[in-house]
Structures are given as C-alpha cells and as structure tokens.
Amino acid sequence: MSLSDKARKSLEKIGLTSYEIKTYSSLLKTGPITASDLSQKSGVPYSKIYEVLGTLEEKGWIGSDDSRPTQYFAKSPATAIQTSKQQFETEFRNNENIVLKELIPLYEQSGISERPDIWIISGVINIAAKILEMVDSCRNEVMIAIPKVAEELAKESLPKLRLLHDRGVDITILVSEDVDDGTLKSLSRLAKVKVKKGLFGGGIISDKRYVVLLLGEELGTTGTKEAVAIWADHSGLAGFARGYFEYLLKESKDVKSSR
C-alpha cells in the first residue's frame, strides 16, 4: 500500500522531507532492514541514506539496533508524531522567549501606541467560552476570582486547570466563602486557593495581559437578564485588575492544599 498524496503532504507539513517520507514509509513495509537494502527499497540514493536515517532518528520516527550491519526500524506513527509535536512545542517556546526578550524592549522604546481590543460579552455560554479559551492558552500565570454564581464555570474549568498545573503555570484562585467544600478541594489540588467573604465580582487575568471582568447582569434583547462581561487584550487594564486582585488576596483566608 502506497501513501496517498494527502498523507504525503501532511507529513511534509509536520516537518518531513521527501527523502524522509520515502524512507519511513519503506520501513513500515519492510520491518528492520540495513541502510543499503533500504536505499534500494525506498529509492533514496545510497549517498543520502545515512543522513536521512540520522535525521529521522533524531526526530523520533525510527530506531536502530546494535547488530552489524546496523538495522533500522520504524517507530509507531502515533509515537513519532507525538515526539515531533513535543519537539516543535519546545523549540517554539525557546524561540518565543528569545524573540520576545529582544523585540519587546524595541517595541516599548519605539513609542508606538497600541490599540487594544476591548469587547463586551453577553450570555453565560459566550463568557464561559472566552474564559475557557484564555485558560487553555495561558503560558505563565493565571489569576481567577470565582463568586458563588460562577461556581459551575469553575467546575467546568477543572480539566483545563489541571493541564495548566501540569505545564507548570502559576495558578491563584480566589473564591467566595459560600462555594461548596467539594469545589474547594478540587481547586486546591491544582492551585493556590484563598477564600474571601463577600466576594461578589469575578474574573480572570491571564499572563498579566488578557482579562475578563464579570459585570453582573443586564436586560437582554429577549427581555430576560443576561450575564455581561468585559474581555480585553490590554496590559494596563490587566495590571489594574491584578492590583485589585492582590489587594483582595490580602483580605482572604488560605485554603490548605488537599494534594
């Protein structure tokens, strides 16, 4: 069975060259094989085959044994793709840090005024979707204030908070004192949690820049009350919200971790 053009193009898009695709697909068909035999089977020139095999091994797509001559074998496609994905994400984060470290100071020195995005969001479903999107994309720090009315949203966010926790993101959560013990216990496994009496407002601040602030309810077009929030990509507004959040933390009680 030969590879379809669609599969071949997809492999190219995730970083494999034409020779690497020929080599890997041939290994899937042949099983363990020497480099010289693989060159003949795949059509990759012998002068290139060792270079291609070395690159595929570095990328995690193939392995080799200690026999003489060495035999090469294909790793599972699922394993290979996952390895490539992890390598790409690691490399992207490293490059991201280098680029931001050098370019942000240049941008700040330029005096260019930035036009931030600020939006009004109506409806619990829309607000929840935006908050979950922010949680999912967070990289370094997230601060969340959860009043009693937003308790269900907190429960829905647990899987994504668990992913953030596993990625090493710093998570701080402030909750109303009337949130139930089960929710508190679940949150305290993943984050630093504090309880505040009389917490009426809520929101989320992600990476010191993105912010959602819950404003309460207003009369919607259907005549029913709808939840309303502000979403902003604005470091100044996020900084103001963060300062107020930290002020509330000082007035709050710690919740012991239940890890």
Side-chain angles (χ1 to χ4, degrees), residues 134 137 204-212 231-234 238:
M134 286 173 62
S137 63
I204 175 172
I205 309 158
S206 173
D207 290 334
K208 301 180 181 180
R209 180 175 185 91
Y210 305 100
V211 58
V212 166
W231 174 84
D233 168 8
H234 190 295

Side-chain angles (χ1 to χ4, degrees), residues 3 40 48-49 51 98 101 111 118 133 143 148-149 155 160 172 183-184 187 189 205 236 240 247 255 259:
L3 283 179
Q40 294 178 0
K48 293 285 186 182
I49 194 67
E51 179 185 344
I98 292 170
K101 185 176 180 181
I118 300 178
E133 176 189 317
M143 307 176 86
K148 177 63 177 176
V149 293
K155 293 177 182 177
K160 291 187 181 292
T172 304
T183 302
L184 280 178
L187 292 173
R189 292 193 185 102
I205 309 158
F240 173 81
Y247 167 75
V255 174
R259 293 185 182 92

Side-chain angles (χ1 to χ4, degrees), residues 90-108:
T90 299
E91 185 176 359
F92 186 91
R93 284 195 299 270
N94 291 338
N95 289 328
E96 177 185 33
N97 291 334
I98 292 170
V99 169
L100 293 179
K101 185 176 180 181
E102 292 199 18
L103 296 191
I104 284 180
L106 293 176
Y107 176 80
E108 291 174 344

Side-chain angles (χ1 to χ4, degrees), residues 120-133 148-154 156-157 212 214 216-218 224-229:
I120 301 294
I121 308 173
S122 297
V124 172
I125 293 175
N126 294 328
I127 295 170
K130 195 63 184 178
I131 289 175
L132 292 174
E133 176 189 317
K148 177 63 177 176
V149 293
E151 185 174 352
E152 284 305 312
L153 178 58
E156 290 179 25
S157 302
V212 166
L214 303 178
E217 295 180 327
E218 68 174 14
T224 59
K225 287 188 176 181
E226 292 185 338
V228 180

Side-chain angles (χ1 to χ4, degrees), residues 143-175:
M143 307 176 86
I144 307 171
I146 305 172
K148 177 63 177 176
V149 293
E151 185 174 352
E152 284 305 312
L153 178 58
K155 293 177 182 177
E156 290 179 25
S157 302
L158 283 172
K160 291 187 181 292
L161 290 176
R162 191 171 292 110
L163 290 175
L164 292 190
H165 172 267
D166 293 344
R167 292 209 307 257
V169 173
D170 185 18
I171 308 171
T172 304
I173 300 176
L174 181 63
V175 299

Side-chain angles (χ1 to χ4, degrees), residues 11-160:
L11 286 167
E12 289 175 352
K13 287 180 179 180
I14 61 177
L16 267 62
T17 66
S18 176
Y19 279 165
E20 288 168 356
I21 294 169
K22 287 181 179 179
T23 300
Y24 181 72
S25 60
S26 294
L27 280 172
L28 287 174
K29 298 172 188 175
T30 65
I33 191 173
T34 64
S36 59
D37 288 342
L38 182 57
S39 173
Q40 294 178 0
K41 296 281 187 183
S42 65
V44 175
Y46 186 72
S47 60
K48 293 285 186 182
I49 194 67
Y50 283 102
E51 179 185 344
V52 173
L53 287 168
T55 305
L56 280 173
E57 199 157 10
E58 286 179 8
K59 291 179 177 179
W61 285 73
I62 68 169
S64 59
D65 61 22
D66 296 327
S67 62
R68 289 293 179 266
T70 301
Q71 291 200 324
Y72 298 87
F73 55 89
K75 291 187 177 179
S76 144
T79 300
I81 289 174
Q82 189 61 33
T83 300
S84 287
K85 181 180 178 181
Q86 290 172 352
Q87 290 175 347
F88 173 80
E89 290 176 346
T90 299
E91 185 176 359
F92 186 91
R93 284 195 299 270
N94 291 338
N95 289 328
E96 177 185 33
N97 291 334
I98 292 170
V99 169
L100 293 179
K101 185 176 180 181
E102 292 199 18
L103 296 191
I104 284 180
L106 293 176
Y107 176 80
E108 291 174 344
Q109 290 170 14
S110 70
I112 298 172
S113 68
E114 186 176 2
R115 292 187 63 187
D117 286 327
I118 300 178
W119 297 88
I120 301 294
I121 308 173
S122 297
V124 172
I125 293 175
N126 294 328
I127 295 170
K130 195 63 184 178
I131 289 175
L132 292 174
E133 176 189 317
M134 286 173 62
V135 170
D136 196 36
S137 63
C138 182
R139 291 292 175 266
N140 301 301
E141 177 193 67
V142 63
M143 307 176 86
I144 307 171
I146 305 172
K148 177 63 177 176
V149 293
E151 185 174 352
E152 284 305 312
L153 178 58
K155 293 177 182 177
E156 290 179 25
S157 302
L158 283 172
K160 291 187 181 292

